[in-house]
């Protein structure tokens, strides 16, 4: 397939996002063309990646870099914490890395978040290359510079904005993913289409099965459309002061669900986002923000995904207070109310809708009774 290049240009950094199939074989030439020079690199590898892909990348890096040190990371939400950052920093200090050296993330969104945060805080910033290996990370977390870790108060509450020096998205790596992981990534693709316009949503609605089967050219277009949207938004609002909040559609609900379940494997991030989007469109409809016609169109599309999890199967009434607690801890809140992201129409997102805990609790109880 054709290799696509998207240039991201923020106030703090300009970098390229390279999208193609089997392009980690060509990483030596990619680094040369991007003029990325470093003598030493720490390669953080998600243990879930097939071993043959791990070997290929390390071999190709050895052709370009004098010294490659590898650290294998057990990527899950429970390991997305200070201890993991400390382990990475210890390696960097012991091996005498400096700010001109590079750290490379080879894994999904959790790995990218951890490595990006470690890169941003080591000697106040070192070179960082992100090679996302899941659909979710290729369409979302690898772009825009958000890094973060979890703690007892919630998800991604500690972190930084730190743009990478390069992102390389190899679509061929996605072939090894289980269907559940593809659904996880599709959540962000769907979210992007709702933020963009009806045309993009309609493309997904007509081609959802082809996209989830990674069929060309449908998967390429879905990925590229999502990346272009995020690039456009991040360039206008890098630090999430206003516009970038639209990217949190469904996420205030989703992060609270993940935290309430203590980041259990029974619900991954993308699944939580799909449920969160379903909640957001339902809340928007009930409050006469989203018309019945548009609500049914989006809701019917979500049903096509075939998600195994439902809100009223995952949670009971006793969990609602915990969910509200974590929603109150969300980064977007600036008052005693809870800020949620709602949808008025395709391409029309409301980013500062304030709702009381009591009203939200009443809504969530209603979701349990469906």
């Amino acid at each position: 397939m054709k290799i696509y290049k998207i240039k991201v240009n923020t106030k703090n950094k300009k970098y390229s996002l390279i999208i193609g199939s089997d392009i980690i074989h060509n990483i030596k030439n990619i680094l040369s063309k991007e003029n990325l020079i470093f003598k030493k690199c720490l390669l953080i590898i998600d243990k879930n990646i097939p071993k043959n892909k791990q070997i290929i990348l390390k071999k190709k890096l050895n052709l370009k870099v004098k010294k490659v040190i590898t650290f294998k990371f057990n990527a899950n939400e429970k390991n997305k914490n200070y201890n993991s950052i400390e382990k990475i920093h210890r390696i960097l200090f012991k091996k005498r890395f400096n700010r001109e050296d590079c750290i490379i993330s080879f894994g999904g969104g959790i790995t990218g978040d951890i490595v990006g945060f470690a890169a941003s805080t080591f000697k106040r910033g070192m070179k960082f290359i992100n090679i996302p290996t899941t659909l979710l990370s290729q369409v979302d977390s690898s772009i825009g510079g958000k890094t973060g870790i979890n703690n007892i108060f919630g998800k991604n509450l500690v972190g930084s904005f730190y743009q990478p020096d390069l992102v390389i998205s190899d679509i061929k790596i996605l072939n090894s993913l289980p269907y559940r992981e593809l659904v996880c990534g599709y959540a962000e693709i769907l979210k992007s289409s709702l933020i963009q316009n009806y045309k993009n949503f309609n493309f997904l609605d007509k081609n959802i099965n082809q996209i989830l089967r990674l069929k060309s050219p449908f998967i390429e277009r879905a990925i590229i459309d999502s990346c272009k949207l995020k690039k456009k938004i991040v360039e206008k609002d890098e630090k999430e002061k206003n516009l970038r909040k639209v990217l949190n559609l469904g996420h205030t609900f989703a992060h609270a669900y993940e935290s309430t379940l203590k980041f259990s494997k029974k619900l991954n991030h993308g699944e939580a986002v799909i449920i969160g989007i379903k909640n957001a469109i339902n809340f928007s409809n009930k409050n006469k923000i989203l018309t019945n016609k548009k609500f049914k169109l989006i809701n019917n599309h979500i049903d096509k995904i075939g998600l195994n999890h439902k809100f009223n199967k995952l949670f009971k009434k006793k969990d609602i207070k915990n969910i509200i607690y974590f929603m109150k801890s969300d980064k977007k809140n600036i008052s005693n109310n809870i800020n949620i992201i709602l949808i008025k129409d395709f391409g029309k997102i409301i980013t500062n809708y304030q709702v009381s805990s009591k009203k939200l609790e009443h809504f969530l109880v209603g979701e349990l009774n469906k």
Side-chain angles (χ1 to χ4, degrees):
M1 67 168 277
K2 179 182 175 183
I3 294 178
Y4 297 87
K5 183 174 181 178
I6 297 173
K7 294 291 290 185
V8 182
N9 186 4
T10 72
K11 288 182 180 179
N12 292 307
K13 191 179 284 183
K14 297 178 182 179
Y15 61 94
S16 298
L17 166 60
I18 313 292
I19 303 168
S21 183
D22 211 20
I23 54 177
I24 60 169
H25 278 281
N26 201 31
I27 193 166
K28 180 183 176 183
N29 291 333
I30 292 172
L31 293 176
S32 296
K33 285 180 181 178
E34 294 301 314
N35 198 30
L36 263 174
I37 300 168
F38 45 90
K39 294 179 181 178
K40 193 160 43 177
C41 79
L42 174 59
L43 176 60
I44 312 288
I45 298 177
D46 183 339
K47 285 183 177 180
N48 297 306
I49 295 172
K51 286 188 177 180
N52 64 319
K53 297 295 182 184
Q54 297 180 25
I55 292 166
I56 289 167
L57 179 59
K58 189 170 181 182
K59 183 178 179 182
K60 293 295 178 180
L61 281 171
N62 277 329
L63 295 173
K64 176 70 181 175
V65 185
K66 289 183 179 179
K67 191 169 186 179
V68 179
I69 298 164
T70 303
F71 174 70
K72 292 190 178 181
F73 175 60
N74 185 15
N76 59 58
E77 292 287 355
K78 290 183 179 179
N79 285 338
K80 196 176 171 184
N81 55 34
Y82 279 116
N83 289 337
S84 296
I85 298 297
E86 179 67 16
K87 286 177 184 177
I88 293 170
H89 279 169
R90 280 179 179 274
I91 296 170
L92 293 170
F93 283 116
K94 283 184 176 180
K95 298 298 181 181
R96 298 189 178 277
F97 275 69
N98 62 53
R99 292 158 87 173
E100 294 305 308
D101 293 322
C102 186
I103 187 167
I104 300 176
S105 169
F106 189 43
I110 293 172
T111 308
D113 275 6
I114 281 282
V115 176
F117 187 41
S120 73
T121 48
F122 178 75
K123 298 185 177 179
R124 297 197 177 97
M126 64 185 297
K127 290 178 181 177
F128 168 43
I129 295 173
N130 198 345
I131 308 178
T133 60
T134 63
L135 183 57
L136 176 62
S137 57
Q138 288 190 4
V139 300
D140 182 54
S141 60
S142 64
I143 314 157
K146 273 189 179 180
T147 78
I149 57 175
N150 307 328
N151 62 19
I152 60 170
F153 298 100
K155 184 178 167 92
N156 292 337
L157 294 181
V158 179
S160 63
F161 288 96
Y162 192 70
Q163 302 297 337
D165 293 88
L166 176 66
V167 178
I168 302 172
S169 290
D170 191 333
I171 293 176
K172 190 173 181 180
I173 292 176
L174 302 180
N175 291 331
S176 63
L177 295 178
Y179 182 77
R180 188 183 182 195
E181 276 298 322
L182 297 176
V183 167
C184 186
Y186 189 80
E188 297 292 346
I189 292 173
L190 170 61
K191 179 200 74 176
S192 293
S193 76
L194 298 177
I195 294 168
Q196 287 173 308
N197 50 51
Y198 174 73
K199 180 183 175 182
N200 284 39
F201 171 81
N202 191 44
F203 169 77
L204 297 186
D205 203 39
K206 288 181 176 179
N207 300 293
I208 180 172
N209 293 327
Q210 302 278 47
I211 294 166
L212 287 171
R213 291 205 298 266
L214 303 177
K215 295 296 182 182
S216 183
F218 308 99
I219 184 62
E220 289 91 340
R221 176 174 164 180
I223 290 172
I224 291 164
D225 282 351
S226 294
C227 291
K228 283 183 176 178
L229 170 78
K230 192 153 189 189
K231 158 199 153 64
K232 181 181 176 182
I233 290 172
V234 167
E235 286 179 343
K236 290 181 178 178
D237 181 16
E238 184 179 0
K239 299 290 180 71
E240 201 175 72
K241 300 294 184 184
N242 188 14
L243 175 64
R244 190 169 176 173
K245 291 177 184 178
V246 300
L247 296 172
N248 288 298
L249 179 64
H251 283 62
T252 307
F253 291 104
H255 288 170
Y257 301 158
E258 291 177 88
S259 298
T260 299
L261 292 172
K262 298 180 180 178
F263 306 110
S264 164
K265 289 182 180 180
K266 69 167 71 172
L267 183 73
N268 66 31
H269 176 65
E271 292 165 340
V273 169
I274 292 171
I275 296 171
I277 291 173
K278 202 171 177 77
N279 294 144
I281 64 169
N282 194 19
F283 191 94
S284 299
N285 179 248
K286 283 181 181 296
N287 287 275
K288 302 188 183 306
I289 296 167
L290 181 68
T291 65
N292 287 333
K293 183 180 178 181
K294 301 284 174 61
F295 166 75
K296 287 177 182 176
L297 198 58
I298 300 167
N299 197 55
N300 289 342
H301 181 81
I302 292 173
D303 289 342
K304 290 179 185 178
I305 298 171
L307 189 67
N308 291 326
H309 304 295
K310 291 186 177 180
F311 180 78
N312 58 7
K313 300 295 182 185
L314 289 165
F315 301 105
K316 293 181 169 41
K317 193 171 181 179
K318 65 180 178 63
D319 297 314
I320 300 298
K321 285 191 177 179
N322 264 344
I323 292 171
I324 296 296
Y325 168 81
F326 286 115
M327 290 182 86
K328 280 183 173 180
S329 298
D330 189 271
K331 300 179 289 296
K332 296 177 292 302
N333 293 329
I334 55 173
S335 70
N336 290 328
N337 288 327
I338 296 170
N339 189 102
I340 55 176
I341 315 297
L342 300 179
I343 178 169
K344 187 175 183 180
D345 198 350
F346 297 101
K348 294 182 179 179
I349 308 299
I350 297 171
T351 58
N352 291 302
Y353 190 92
Q354 302 290 314
V355 58
S356 69
S357 300
K358 189 174 181 180
K359 185 175 180 180
L360 201 50
E361 186 174 337
H362 178 74
F363 168 75
L364 291 173
V365 170
E367 294 292 279
L368 286 176
N369 295 327
K370 283 185 172 181

